Amino acid sequence: MINVVVVGGGWAGCAAALAAAKAGAQVVLLERTDLLLGTGLVGGIFRNNGRFTAAEEAIAMGGGDLFVAMDANSRHRGIHFPGHSHASFYDVTTMEPLVKKILQNYGIDVRSRTRVANVVKYRKKIQYLVNDNDEIIQGDAFVDTTGTSGPMGNCLKYGNGCAMCILRCPTFGPRVSITAKADVKEIIGKKADGSYGAMSGSCKINKDSLRPELKDQLEKEGMVVIPLPENLKKTGMLGKKACSQYAIADYAENIVLIDTGHAKLMTPFFPLDALRTIPGLERARYEDPYSGGVGNSIRYLGMAPCSHSLKVDGVDNLFCAGEKAGIMVGHTEAVVTGLLAGHNAVRCCLDMQYLELPSELAAGDFIAFIHEQMTTEEGLRLRYTFSGSVYFERMKKLELYSSQRGEVNDRVTKTNLTDIYNTCLV
């Protein structure tokens, strides 16, 4: 039996663990907090714009378990909101236990409240990890999905606060990068003004604090757009956002609320006093433990240099996914890269050629494009997603975007990758 250890239980880590288990490995998934999904606990948007294509590609390749779970747990489907078409919103309040059950059904050993403290390496291979309790965790290959946010000191240094406390560093300790612990120099992304990092793109309002008729409208329609008065328009902050797909004028000129269980406010932060001057939001309060009034968490402070197979440069048995693999935004992007990293971790153990997704697929072109862009100063200041901004424009130009399931299936079939993630390699 080969052993794969995945560190970081966000969407990317869950997908990596799933892909490695389906490929035949015995898998341990380590998560430092008491909940899986990371920022997926506050996100909820998927299948919007090119994410529909990417999700269908993953399903056709046999990696659809997590997307099927999101579909089954959606509060709203086929929603159109500013700049986005055919979006679905999964319920962020009930998603985590469902995903955990799926992983456990595949025999994955999910260990929450397990924070890695050290990495022991011999030459170019990781031998084992050591956690906070000095326990040794052995593996043949490892996947780093620890993200790029935090710890708190970085959020305070590079932003104006660490309000998106879903990461809960004070309770569970800061993020530990396996890549950095393995002596690999990480890459730092930048904001449009050249300063480091980028601010997370939304915050949450307690739904019960909304005026009842506004809450009813939100739950019925899935989203609400409220025009802002001139003095509250926020055009100057769009370049600070991690989620560049929402860095368009509609989000500076309006309050956009989305129903993901919470009332998701599509802006990195909004001063509470100003928010309460808007009709319907007179009693608004941010959902604990997030504040949202003055700032948000800062991301892209530690990405791993890696190949298109998502193997980390300089370490023979370490792979990465999600934000760790590039300046990407979103759950779909995390799942797609997580599947590839987990699958290739098993190939590494079997001394097989690594899988690289071809450019005929959106996921393959996405990974290669990000890596190319990150070699330039300008490219480090952009963020990449299937759902908007520079990469969605590229998808459309290359005719990689499709909202037709049959068309995507045919494309995957032509690459001979149908059900590749359902194939046991061991």
Side-chain angles (χ1 to χ4, degrees):
M1 178 63 75
I2 61 173
N3 297 289
V4 171
V5 180
V6 180
V7 186
W11 276 120
C14 292
L18 197 61
K22 294 174 85 167
Q26 184 169 312
V27 182
V28 175
L29 173 60
L30 308 179
E31 165 56 40
R32 69 183 170 89
T33 74
D34 56 0
L35 289 169
L36 299 175
L37 296 189
T39 55
L41 292 165
V42 295
I45 303 174
F46 69 109
R47 289 196 178 274
N48 48 324
N49 294 346
R51 285 174 177 162
F52 185 96
T53 310
E56 290 300 326
E57 283 183 358
I59 292 169
M61 286 190 284
D65 306 68
L66 298 178
F67 290 117
V68 170
M70 291 185 209
D71 284 335
N73 200 37
S74 289
R75 295 179 65 87
H76 304 276
R77 300 184 185 190
I79 300 294
H80 299 272
F81 62 100
H84 296 260
S85 300
H86 48 71
S88 293
F89 308 148
Y90 69 73
D91 191 328
V92 298
T93 64
T94 56
M95 197 72 233
E96 193 269 349
L98 177 59
V99 171
K100 189 172 186 178
K101 186 66 177 176
I102 291 170
L103 299 182
Q104 290 173 330
N105 284 344
Y106 275 97
I108 296 166
D109 180 5
V110 179
R111 301 183 191 177
S112 57
R113 301 193 66 174
T114 303
R115 182 169 173 269
V116 173
N118 203 7
V119 173
V120 176
K121 198 174 69 167
Y122 178 70
R123 295 183 175 172
K124 288 189 174 182
K125 294 188 77 170
I126 294 176
Q127 301 297 301
Y128 57 86
L129 310 178
V130 183
N131 71 13
D132 269 348
N133 295 319
D134 291 328
E135 295 169 340
I136 290 175
I137 302 156
Q138 302 275 1
D140 301 303
F142 300 81
V143 183
D144 184 353
T145 51
T146 56
T148 64
S149 300
M152 283 183 69
N154 279 336
C155 292
L156 292 167
K157 181 178 180 181
Y158 297 114
N160 52 338
C162 185
M164 193 178 175
C165 286
I166 194 67
L167 301 172
R168 296 176 290 167
C169 298
T171 303
F172 296 101
R175 175 184 65 86
V176 176
S177 168
I178 304 307
T179 300
K181 286 282 186 182
D183 301 322
V184 176
K185 184 178 181 181
E186 295 181 309
I187 303 167
I188 303 178
K190 296 181 178 179
K191 302 186 190 78
D193 63 6
S195 58
Y196 289 121
M199 196 168 288
S200 285
S202 62
C203 45
K204 308 294 170 293
I205 297 175
N206 185 300
K207 201 186 285 184
D208 289 335
S209 71
L210 303 177
R211 191 184 288 176
E213 54 268 33
L214 179 60
K215 178 184 174 185
D216 291 344
Q217 182 185 358
L218 181 64
E219 292 187 332
K220 179 180 179 182
E221 300 177 7
M223 55 84 67
V224 173
V225 177
I226 305 172
L228 285 169
E230 284 297 325
N231 64 315
L232 293 182
K233 292 180 178 177
K234 303 171 69 177
T235 54
M237 64 175 297
L238 294 178
K240 297 180 180 179
K241 297 181 69 165
C243 303
S244 54
Q245 68 271 32
Y246 308 126
I248 57 178
D250 296 277
Y251 295 89
E253 297 171 358
N254 301 283
I255 286 286
V256 180
L257 295 175
I258 285 177
D259 177 23
T260 59
H262 302 309
K264 182 180 174 80
L265 175 60
M266 303 296 287
T267 183
F269 61 91
F270 205 108
L272 188 60
D273 289 344
L275 193 67
R276 286 178 170 176
T277 66
I278 299 167
L281 296 164
E282 297 87 348
R283 299 181 305 156
R285 54 159 288 184
Y286 287 104
E287 189 75 60
D288 289 335
Y290 330 111
S291 71
V294 295
N296 213 316
S297 61
I298 301 296
R299 296 154 65 178
Y300 310 121
L301 296 177
M303 291 166 288
C306 63
S307 67
H308 299 341
S309 68
L310 304 186
K311 191 191 83 65
V312 175
D313 295 348
V315 185
D316 290 344
N317 62 343
L318 179 61
F319 296 79
C320 62
E323 287 182 13
K324 203 73 195 172
I327 313 175
M328 64 186 75
V329 182
H331 312 324
T332 300
E333 293 76 356
V335 171
V336 166
T337 53
L339 290 169
L340 180 62
H343 182 82
N344 275 333
V346 177
R347 286 178 177 253
C348 172
C349 300
L350 299 172
D351 201 23
M352 294 175 64
Q353 183 178 0
Y354 298 143
L355 175 66
E356 289 191 11
L357 302 180
S359 59
E360 289 82 2
L361 299 180
D365 183 70
F366 179 70
I367 292 169
F369 181 70
I370 293 176
H371 288 163
E372 177 187 343
Q373 293 295 302
M374 286 175 60
T375 62
T376 68
E377 178 67 20
E378 182 183 2
L380 285 173
R381 300 185 185 199
L382 299 174
R383 270 75 73 187
Y384 305 92
T385 164
F386 297 112
S387 67
S389 189
V390 59
Y391 187 73
F392 184 47
E393 292 305 313
R394 177 180 169 86
M395 279 185 82
K396 290 186 286 188
K397 182 179 178 182
L398 297 178
E399 298 183 345
L400 290 170
Y401 166 55
S402 175
S403 59
Q404 303 301 313
R405 179 170 295 163
E407 186 177 326
V408 177
N409 285 342
D410 290 344
R411 196 181 298 163
V412 173
T413 300
K414 288 178 182 176
T415 63
N416 295 317
L417 292 177
T418 300
D419 276 334
I420 185 71
Y421 294 134
N422 271 334
T423 305
C424 184
L425 303 175
V426 177

